[in-house]
Amino acid sequence: CSLTPFTVTDNIILDNSGLGIWTGTLSGAGLPYPSCEQGGDAAAQYRAFTVTDNIIVGNIGGAVSHCDSGGAIYTGNTITNNNAVTAVVQLSAPYSSEELTFSNNHMSGNSGNVSFLILGISSANPGTYTFENNTFSDSQTTYLVQPPLGTKFNPPSIDVTNNWWGTTNDTE
């Protein structure tokens, strides 16, 4: 398979009836895999995504869904007033040789079940990830962060230190 870079920078992504940004694997036929399924297609096109300095606001199906394990960088985005049934931001864990970065993003006023979710992959050795310097405020989600989903995610949690959770009180 090939790894193709893809960049989304300095955009306003506003009031979509579905997701604000969907990044994902394309099958060998050039079609996206539905519902974050990676598929077993040997000709699949994996992409290295960079999503920076965007304003993602008012989307009904969530703000960001990253359904590709080729690695990605999400930084400097303002993610506000989005609604999602499952997760406002849903990112697939990277393969062992890749990295996922979610840093310096501002999330506020979002609603749904989870503000931020990492999906597990079918590998016992996922790549590295950085989750820091994000702000979460005025959230109407049940959970701000949910541990990775998937039976083979190692480690089974993510380090959420060095983020701001809308309070200066350590007990909240």
Side-chain angles (χ1 to χ4, degrees):
C1 72
S2 61
L3 188 63
T4 306
F6 182 81
T7 301
V8 178
T9 302
D10 294 322
N11 294 287
I12 297 174
I13 298 145
L14 175 67
D15 293 336
N16 290 289
S17 61
L19 280 164
I21 296 176
W22 181 86
T23 56
T25 305
L26 296 178
S27 70
L31 301 172
Y33 285 112
S35 305
C36 289
E37 295 172 11
Q38 294 295 320
D41 190 342
Q45 301 170 8
Y46 298 97
R47 299 181 187 272
F49 292 97
T50 302
V51 178
T52 60
D53 300 322
N54 297 288
I55 298 171
I56 307 166
V57 61
N59 299 290
I60 302 301
V64 176
S65 185
H66 173 75
C67 301
D68 185 286
S69 296
I73 298 170
Y74 293 87
T75 186
N77 298 293
T78 300
I79 302 168
T80 60
N81 300 322
N82 295 283
N83 186 15
V85 173
T86 304
V88 175
V89 174
Q90 172 179 282
L91 308 178
S92 289
Y95 288 130
S96 62
S97 62
E98 304 299 332
E99 181 175 349
L100 174 64
T101 299
F102 190 83
S103 64
N104 300 305
N105 297 292
H106 174 73
M107 295 183 65
S108 68
N110 296 300
S111 61
N113 189 35
V114 181
S115 287
F116 182 85
L117 168 68
I118 291 185
L119 299 170
I121 59 174
S122 60
S123 169
N125 298 305
T128 59
Y129 54 87
T130 302
F131 180 76
E132 63 186 10
N133 300 321
N134 300 293
T135 61
F136 292 83
S137 62
D138 191 29
S139 175
Q140 291 117 31
T141 57
T142 306
Y143 304 100
L144 290 177
V145 175
Q146 184 171 339
L149 296 178
T151 58
K152 295 183 179 180
F153 194 85
N154 183 20
S157 63
I158 58 173
D159 181 356
V160 296
T161 59
N162 299 320
N163 292 285
W164 189 70
W165 305 100
T167 183
T168 57
N169 184 340
D170 289 344
T171 61
E172 292 184 16

